[in-house]
Amino acid sequence: LPVIHALLETGDDAMKEIALRVRAGEATDEEIAQLVAFTHSHNGIDYTTKKMYNLANSCLSLIDKKGSDPAIAESLHKYAQFVVGREL
């Protein structure tokens, strides 16, 4: 998602070609580094992080509104917080 966002925002054909090479497993280490830097510089990571938090919050709100079993709701909350909060 981060790379897709950066590509859609810029329309950069050269980076699109590199992204396709990465997907095909044919990119060099230098090309991968270029694509990562491009993604960071065009807010791909920030966009995706915000999207992730928004979706997690929507899911947690839905769990709360549905009146789930409290133990299950608590487990789902903890799981979502773990997934969203982990560092890769």
Side-chain angles (χ1 to χ4, degrees):
L1 186 58
V3 174
I4 293 169
H5 175 76
L7 290 170
L8 290 173
E9 288 294 305
T10 64
D12 188 316
D13 288 334
M15 285 296 123
K16 182 178 179 182
E17 289 301 317
I18 291 174
L20 291 172
R21 290 178 53 72
V22 168
R23 189 168 98 187
E26 300 170 351
T28 65
D29 290 345
E30 183 180 320
E31 288 172 325
I32 293 168
Q34 281 181 294
L35 188 60
V36 168
F38 168 81
T39 301
H40 277 281
S41 67
H42 293 284
N43 299 316
I45 302 300
D46 292 337
Y47 167 81
T48 304
T49 300
K50 288 176 187 171
K51 190 67 138 170
M52 174 183 63
Y53 281 111
N54 288 339
L55 289 170
N57 288 334
S58 294
C59 290
L60 293 174
S61 292
L62 185 61
I63 290 167
D64 293 340
K65 288 179 184 176
K66 291 294 181 182
S68 301
D69 176 282
I72 294 172
E74 181 181 357
S75 292
L76 291 171
H77 273 264
K78 287 180 179 179
Y79 180 72
Q81 291 166 354
F82 169 76
V83 170
V84 170
R86 68 190 169 143
E87 295 290 324
L88 299 177

